[in-house]
Amino acid sequence: MIKAGLCSVCFKPKAPEEVIELAKKVGLSAIEWIGSVHVPAGDVRTAEEVGKMTRDAGLISTYGSIFHLGTGEDITPHLETCSALGARDMRIWAGNGKPSCDMTSEERRAFVEEAKDASRRAAELGIKLSVECHDGGLTDCAESQLRFLREVDEENFCTYWQEILNLPESAHLPSLSAIHASGKLTNIHVYQYRVFDGGREMLPLSDGFEKWKERFDILKGDDTEHLALIEYVRNYTEDILAEDAKTLCALIKASSVIS
């Protein structure tokens, strides 16, 4: 099943209570709180306050941390903040800008060992780690992403899914299908882009309705609750968010994967 949500990074200037009110207003059920603005890593008091506000509003929290494996950073403040927030899982990154195909076996092994340690520490706090699906690291294609999940081999080490914009359109559906089949999918970042030489342009989510319906159809019959999180909003305005939220809810209903 899928529930519709919002990444708070879309509205950085707004206070957490404003983001919560906006999410409720447009009919969303969850918020991915960004660790660089609304719920900074190490600020446990803010995490506790935002978590309570989110729960009181009847919304689900997930933590979009900015922690990167492979940088020597300490994951402790991120985990403590996620725990204080009461989030169901924490998003992390598995890369430092280097494509997976260029990593040596030693580099890859170091990522795996760090991820294993992070997963075990997260498990002690009841936190599921979800690696970001992104270029510039070990999750820049489905093959490397799935291999990484197998290598780490920890029950609470999972993954998000999103379009990787430098891959061809034909790669996206098989990627989501393979990751879902692995049983390791947690949440999905949702956005609609037009990619062209020299740039990309954000479009209404409705422009990709059939494409996203086909993707959500993959999750039919899945009893696990996944969050479909709007990650980008054109011009970052409330009116456009309302349009995209309406489309996202319609997509979930059309795919019959809503709880």
Side-chain angles (χ1 to χ4, degrees), residues 64-256:
S65 86
I66 54 172
F67 175 79
H68 284 67
L69 295 166
T71 63
E73 184 182 4
D74 183 7
I75 198 172
T76 301
H78 301 271
L79 290 174
E80 290 175 345
T81 304
C82 181
S83 180
L85 180 64
R88 51 189 285 163
D89 54 62
M90 184 173 99
R91 187 274 312 271
I92 66 172
W93 299 70
N96 51 18
K98 192 173 187 178
S100 62
C101 60
D102 291 339
M103 287 192 188
T104 65
S105 57
E106 290 79 10
E107 288 173 325
R108 189 176 188 104
R109 191 176 304 116
F111 271 103
V112 170
E113 290 306 311
E114 185 181 3
K116 281 180 175 289
D117 179 68
S119 298
R120 291 164 184 168
R121 293 181 61 191
E124 293 175 357
L125 296 172
I127 295 171
K128 181 180 291 185
L129 294 185
S130 297
V131 69
E132 176 81 344
C133 177
H134 208 275
D135 56 5
L138 289 177
T139 59
D140 58 3
C141 66
E143 181 181 8
S144 178
Q145 190 169 3
L146 290 166
R147 177 185 167 191
F148 187 42
L149 293 169
R150 290 193 300 269
E151 289 169 333
V152 175
D153 192 28
E154 295 289 341
E155 185 177 355
N156 68 323
F157 190 72
C158 300
T159 186
Y160 273 37
W161 183 86
Q162 67 185 44
E163 288 187 16
I164 297 178
L165 298 177
N166 61 356
L167 294 180
E169 178 64 36
S170 60
H172 300 320
L173 195 64
S175 168
L176 176 57
S177 181
I179 289 169
H180 178 251
S182 75
K184 289 290 190 176
L185 176 68
T186 51
N187 306 322
I188 298 172
H189 278 158
V190 177
Y191 46 80
Q192 181 63 27
Y193 268 119
R194 181 178 74 88
V195 180
F196 56 91
D197 289 343
R200 59 191 185 184
E201 175 188 11
M202 280 187 284
L203 300 173
L205 184 58
S206 57
D207 283 13
F209 191 94
E210 292 303 322
K211 176 180 73 176
W212 279 101
K213 182 180 181 303
E214 189 175 14
R215 294 169 181 178
F216 287 171
D217 281 347
I218 290 172
L219 277 66
K220 282 185 175 179
D222 184 347
D223 291 332
T224 301
E225 187 175 272
H226 305 283
L227 303 180
L229 301 158
I230 297 173
E231 188 178 20
Y232 299 107
V233 177
R234 288 172 299 130
N235 303 322
Y236 301 102
T237 65
E238 295 183 19
D239 288 346
I240 293 176
L241 171 64
E243 294 174 8
D244 285 351
K246 182 178 179 180
T247 299
L248 179 56
C249 291
L251 276 164
I252 293 171
K253 184 177 181 179
S255 299
S256 301

Side-chain angles (χ1 to χ4, degrees), residues 8 16 20 31-35 38-40 43-55 59-65 77-91 127:
S8 76
I20 290 169
I31 299 175
E32 179 193 277
W33 291 108
I34 185 67
H38 294 117
V39 185
D43 190 344
V44 171
R45 182 176 178 179
T46 293
E48 290 173 342
E49 292 173 350
V50 172
K52 184 178 186 305
M53 286 191 293
T54 308
R55 290 189 296 275
L59 303 178
I60 299 166
S61 286
T62 184
Y63 188 43
S65 86
H78 301 271
L79 290 174
E80 290 175 345
T81 304
C82 181
S83 180
L85 180 64
R88 51 189 285 163
D89 54 62
M90 184 173 99
R91 187 274 312 271
I127 295 171

